[in-house]
Amino acid sequence: RLFGYFAYRQTMRLSRVAPDSVWMHQAAGEANESQGLHDAAIREYRQVLEIAPRRPGIHFRIGRTLLSRSSQGAPATADASEALQAFERELSLDPTNANAAYEIGELHRKEGRFETARDSFERALKHYPDFEEALVGLGRTLIALEKPALALRPLRAALARNPQNEVAYYQLAQAHGALGQAADQANALAEFKR
């Protein structure tokens, strides 16, 4: 809410000084996104791209907004497909954008395309090695690929980053279970429950 207020004030100021600028449309998109006005945010972000087609971060914002919209009842399949395209466009503009690579990995993981998901999580981690969510995503994906021994390293790294990460503990328990390490599995489950 506080971000939304500041984005709104910035948008009002920009609307007086530079009403058709990239900054005005981006600020309006951010304000709309923070208030859950997904369609309006996407329209503003697309205006930014009309003015500055290679502006970094905008395709990522569109993808993120599409995913947020789909989680609130919009047609999820269409939004997820369009979001995937937006994240891929972002990576074509900025190959180091770990957030876009992570989102691509999550979309592929959820669709059961585990090798592609693995590549995307590894790409995210190449540019941001401490990316907690990407570490967990990679661990989950390796378990799904029946490579639980390889999953231990990224899951432990995620827990080193955040010892409160319940998903990482649960996935670590899954990896230990798949490896037949009952004591380690029990310890990870105990941490998960705690």
Side-chain angles (χ1 to χ4, degrees), residues 42 63 65-71 74-84:
I42 292 167
T65 305
L66 286 163
L67 290 180
S68 181
R69 181 173 75 179
S70 72
S71 73
T77 307
D79 280 349
S81 176
E82 194 177 345
L84 179 61

Side-chain angles (χ1 to χ4, degrees), residues 31 45 76 97 112 125 138:
Y45 291 143
N97 189 316
L125 291 165
L138 178 58

Side-chain angles (χ1 to χ4, degrees), residues 111-123:
E111 290 293 320
R113 295 185 295 267
F114 299 119
E115 283 297 341
T116 307
R118 177 184 183 176
D119 293 343
S120 294
F121 290 130
E122 288 175 344
R123 183 175 186 173

